């Protein structure tokens, strides 16, 4: 479809909604930009039903204009399917994500401070970078977990397959999550998943079947 805006003919324009999912407060200008852009879009693509509902409620977008196309991964080219799992005596937990409020790594760190009382040799690796790095590092030290939790920083995607194979299971402690792509990556490596019972995650993790919420 073609549209005319102030005398200028525009082309068909789809809009992809990904980072618009955030239950915290939005600035008025950002809300205006999203509404304005979506108004003139031919279609709006959301990565999950949760994101679709959020955008119809928050930004008052027409439900009929939003199409849900879920995220996916290419397991043939990019993932080792759990056939080379590295066996060792250390229980290793992995987690991946930006070091931001959304990912809830503070929750994970506090939980580990309790778990290590029963499993003192537990090792947790957090892959990712972000503005909360110094704050999280201080929390790890203050809780006496320097020997149990490692903030690995960013690791190239080409090296992540080997990293997944080192872990015993995967944890995602997000406060909110529009989809949860890293859960699919972990499952591609046949890792058990423990994740927050929020937003889109229960659509991926069936508690007691392929993980726990």
């Amino acid at each position: 479809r073609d549209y005319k805006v102030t005398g200028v003919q525009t082309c068909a324009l789809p809009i992809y909604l990904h980072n618009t999912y955030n239950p915290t407060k939005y600035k008025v200008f950002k809300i205006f930009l999203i509404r304005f852009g979506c108004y003139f879009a031919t279609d709006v693509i959301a990565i999950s039903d949760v994101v679709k509902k959020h955008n119809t409620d928050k930004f008052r977008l027409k439900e009929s204009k939003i199409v849900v196309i879920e995220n996916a991964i290419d397991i043939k080219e990019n993932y080792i399917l759990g056939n080379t799992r590295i066996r060792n005596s250390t229980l290793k937990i992995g987690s991946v994500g930006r070091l931001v409020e959304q990912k809830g790594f503070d929750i994970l760190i506090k939980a580990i401070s309790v778990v290590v009382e029963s499993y003192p040799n537990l090792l947790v690796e957090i892959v990712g970078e972000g503005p909360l790095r110094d704050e999280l590092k201080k929390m790890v030290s203050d809780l006496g977990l320097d020997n149990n939790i490692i903030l690995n920083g960013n690791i190239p995607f080409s090296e992540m397959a080997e990293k997944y194979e080192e872990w015993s299971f995967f944890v995602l402690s997000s406060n909110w999550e529009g989809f949860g792509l890293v859960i699919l990556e972990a499952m591609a490596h046949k890792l058990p998943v423990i994740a927050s019972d929020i937003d889109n995650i229960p659509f991926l993790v069936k508690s007691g079947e392929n993980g726990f919420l």
Side-chain angles (χ1 to χ4, degrees):
R1 288 177 288 180
D2 291 328
Y3 292 87
K4 290 186 177 180
V5 182
T6 61
V8 179
Q9 183 169 327
T10 62
C11 62
L13 174 66
I15 287 183
Y16 176 69
L17 294 179
H18 183 272
N19 291 328
T20 59
Y21 182 70
N22 184 339
T24 59
K25 293 182 178 179
Y26 281 96
K27 294 183 178 180
V28 174
F29 183 63
K30 182 174 182 179
I31 293 176
F32 169 77
L33 284 179
I34 293 174
R35 287 180 179 172
F36 181 81
C38 291
Y39 178 81
F40 292 105
T42 54
D43 297 282
V44 177
I45 301 172
I47 60 172
S48 68
D49 288 322
V50 169
V51 173
K52 177 178 179 177
K53 185 178 186 305
H54 174 75
N55 284 279
T56 55
D57 295 344
K58 183 71 176 182
F59 303 114
R60 302 175 188 171
L61 305 184
K62 291 183 178 180
E63 186 174 347
S64 59
K65 183 179 281 191
I66 302 178
V67 179
V68 175
I69 301 179
E70 296 181 340
N71 284 332
I73 58 175
D74 187 344
I75 61 175
K76 291 183 178 179
E77 295 186 6
N78 299 309
Y79 298 93
I80 303 170
L81 301 182
N83 296 321
T84 60
R85 175 127 299 119
I86 299 172
R87 306 293 181 183
N88 54 59
S89 58
T90 302
L91 181 63
K92 299 179 74 173
I93 299 174
S95 191
V96 180
R98 293 191 65 233
L99 307 184
V100 293
E101 178 189 0
Q102 175 196 355
K103 298 303 179 181
F105 287 118
D106 57 324
I107 299 173
L108 175 59
I109 292 170
K110 291 174 183 177
I112 295 302
S113 69
V114 176
V115 175
V116 294
E117 294 178 4
S118 300
Y119 300 92
N121 294 324
L122 176 68
L123 181 63
V124 179
E125 293 186 305
I126 298 175
V127 176
E129 276 293 352
L132 295 184
R133 179 180 180 83
D134 291 342
E135 180 179 327
L136 294 173
K137 187 174 182 180
K138 183 178 184 302
M139 181 182 293
V140 169
S141 295
D142 289 347
L143 292 173
L145 298 173
D146 291 305
N147 294 326
N148 300 101
I149 299 179
I150 301 173
L151 301 179
N152 272 333
N154 288 328
I155 294 179
F157 182 75
S158 59
E159 299 176 14
M160 278 304 299
E162 182 177 349
K163 180 58 65 177
Y164 275 111
E165 293 298 311
E166 296 176 2
W167 296 337
S168 306
F169 57 93
F170 182 84
V171 174
L172 185 65
S173 53
S174 297
N175 289 304
W176 66 88
E177 198 68 57
F179 186 80
L181 186 64
V182 289
I183 290 177
L184 296 187
E185 294 177 355
M187 288 179 173
H189 289 271
K190 299 183 179 180
L191 282 175
V193 174
I194 298 176
S196 306
D197 188 7
I198 46 97
D199 300 328
N200 192 66
I201 292 178
F203 292 94
L204 302 176
V205 180
K206 306 301 180 184
S207 196
E209 296 181 18
N210 58 359
F212 296 95
L213 298 172

